Amino acid sequence: MERVVLVTGANSGVGLALCHRLLEEDGRIHLCIACRSVQKSEATRDLILATHPAAQVSTVEVDLSNLASVLRAAQELRCRFQRLDFVYLNAGIMPNPQVNFKALWQGLLSGKVLHILTTAEGMMTQTDRLTGDGLQEVFTTNLFGHFILVRQLQSLLCGNEKPSRLIWTSSSNARESAFSLSDYQHAKGQQSYSSSKYATDLTSVVLNRKYNNQGLYSSVVCPGLVMTNMTYRILPFFLWKLLMPIIWLIRFFAKTYTLTPYNGAEAHVWLFKQKPEYLDLLVKYHSCTTGLGRCYVEPRKMDVDEDTAEKLYQKLLELEKQILERYSDLLD
């Protein structure tokens, strides 16, 4: 039987490039694309089929910031499929990103310019807001909505003849300094994106501990600096025009400047071809590009504390319990 691959956030950027690249690797897969609206899903499906007319492509509507939508999507997927081989947890948001020019200038003076330009450490701030469920939007979209989806799809992911895979899109911007267990939704800070990505890394570590013996493996990837709609919102468009020649030059020194969604999906596709039993589950796989444009994957040990990861996981379970009680009418 063909492998079934689910991709969230498939309508643009790395998610869309990933869909094309997966079909180039194996045109026999059943690709299920998950987008926030029916219109986006159908438009994306048509776009993919224009390039891969023989592909099996289905759609599911899911707004990861809306947990009722997540539960409905999971129910639909359980009815439609007997198993899922790969779930790419790729959807994410960075609302109202702004550059902290003071922090950038201080970083430049400290001589850590390359580190700052490759990780955006201390340089990026975001303004978060609450969802209809009363949760922080970035936390919910980037992590918790995916967490609920995985938990609801457990029957399709565990106990199969071959291992199933979770592949989370994380970031080099995932930093412990932006995360706090006492404020794991990051309601009090201005680095919600970084916090959510660090929480993603922690969650992946625990999922492996809990589910590897049931045939489910979790990995995290970093697509590098990719020029997408999310990136372009950070600065006015005319500034990007002025900066692009410099950015292309920096790529000779900063290998994570992948720049294009196609290059950014390199680590995602590389993991598609690996046997999970032989992977280091405490490693983040980074998409990298040489100055001349050759793509490759670089594994880097994650800076995560496993005790903190377990404590976060327990908090997610407690929050999940509250959500499932609220939406009990949507459960089987």
Side-chain angles (χ1 to χ4, degrees):
M1 295 177 63
E2 74 279 357
R3 291 182 288 181
V4 182
V5 181
L6 174 67
V7 180
T8 70
N11 60 286
S12 64
V14 172
L16 180 58
L18 172 61
C19 290
H20 285 290
R21 292 195 61 177
L22 289 174
L23 289 169
E24 290 169 5
E25 288 291 332
D26 183 0
R28 298 168 299 175
I29 64 171
H30 183 114
L31 178 65
C32 182
I33 55 176
C35 305
R36 282 182 296 175
S37 68
V38 173
Q39 292 79 9
K40 285 186 176 182
S41 295
E42 293 299 331
T44 304
R45 182 176 183 271
D46 292 344
L47 195 60
I48 293 171
L49 289 176
T51 308
H52 307 278
Q56 299 181 72
V57 184
S58 60
T59 67
V60 63
E61 180 184 0
V62 58
D63 179 351
L64 288 152
S65 69
N66 182 327
L67 297 175
S69 171
V70 174
L71 292 172
R72 283 192 291 268
Q75 187 177 54
E76 182 178 342
L77 291 167
R78 289 196 304 270
C79 291
R80 195 187 302 175
F81 299 112
Q82 294 181 332
R83 73 176 194 283
L84 289 171
D85 296 279
F86 288 83
V87 179
Y88 283 92
L89 303 157
N90 169 73
I93 59 169
M94 185 196 292
N96 304 309
Q98 296 179 356
V99 177
N100 184 335
F101 287 101
K102 180 180 178 181
L104 174 60
W105 179 247
Q106 290 174 343
L108 295 176
L109 294 177
S110 71
K112 297 181 179 179
V113 57
L114 193 59
H115 174 76
I116 290 174
L117 290 176
T118 53
T119 66
E121 182 173 344
M123 194 175 76
M124 295 300 306
T125 63
Q126 305 92 44
T127 304
D128 206 353
R129 60 184 181 184
L130 294 179
T131 69
D133 295 302
L135 306 177
Q136 296 299 132
E137 184 180 35
V138 176
F139 160 80
T140 307
T141 305
N142 295 2
L143 172 64
F144 190 58
H146 281 132
F147 178 79
I148 292 290
L149 184 65
V150 168
R151 296 271 295 167
Q152 289 292 305
L153 295 177
Q154 188 174 334
S155 62
L156 303 185
L157 294 165
C158 297
N160 296 320
E161 183 179 346
K162 294 183 179 180
S164 292
R165 311 282 301 280
L166 304 176
I167 300 174
W168 302 76
T169 299
S170 181
S171 172
S172 59
N173 192 239
R175 297 192 316 282
E176 183 180 10
S177 60
F179 176 81
S180 169
L181 265 178
S182 61
D183 183 26
Y184 64 94
Q185 292 191 43
H186 204 77
K188 299 175 184 177
Q190 289 187 302
Q191 299 183 67
S192 52
Y193 182 81
S194 178
S195 174
S196 71
K197 293 302 181 181
Y198 186 76
T200 294
D201 295 352
L202 294 173
T203 302
S204 179
V205 168
V206 183
L207 288 173
N208 281 313
R209 189 186 305 159
K210 304 290 185 183
Y211 291 107
N212 280 180
N213 62 355
Q214 298 180 52
L216 177 61
Y217 292 81
S218 181
S219 301
V220 287
V221 301
C222 171
L225 176 66
V226 180
M227 304 310 295
T228 65
N229 292 335
M230 183 186 295
T231 315
Y232 282 123
R233 287 199 298 270
I234 297 172
L235 294 171
F237 187 74
F238 77 91
L239 278 180
W240 283 120
K241 284 286 189 182
L242 294 174
L243 288 172
M244 281 311 294
I246 300 173
I247 289 174
W248 281 97
L249 180 62
I250 290 174
R251 190 164 79 165
F252 282 91
F253 307 95
K255 51 195 170 186
T256 55
Y257 273 44
T258 50
L259 301 186
T260 70
Y262 182 94
N263 294 346
E266 184 71 16
H268 300 74
V269 177
W270 183 84
L271 283 169
F272 181 73
K273 298 181 283 187
Q274 307 306 310
K275 292 186 176 181
E277 302 94 326
Y278 302 116
L279 295 173
D280 186 337
L281 303 175
L282 292 176
V283 154
K284 183 182 296 184
Y285 295 92
H286 291 249
S287 297
C288 296
T289 311
T290 67
L292 296 177
R294 182 181 66 84
C295 297
Y296 65 100
V297 175
E298 181 175 279
R300 299 181 191 174
K301 207 76 172 181
M302 290 189 289
D303 181 22
V304 292
D305 177 74
E306 295 191 51
D307 183 56
T308 302
E310 181 64 37
K311 289 176 180 177
L312 172 64
Y313 187 79
Q314 294 304 318
K315 289 180 179 292
L316 294 179
L317 291 180
E318 292 169 10
L319 188 57
E320 176 195 41
K321 182 179 178 181
Q322 298 172 24
I323 294 300
L324 296 186
E325 288 175 353
R326 183 183 306 172
Y327 293 114
S328 58
D329 57 314
L330 295 177
L331 303 177
D332 292 337

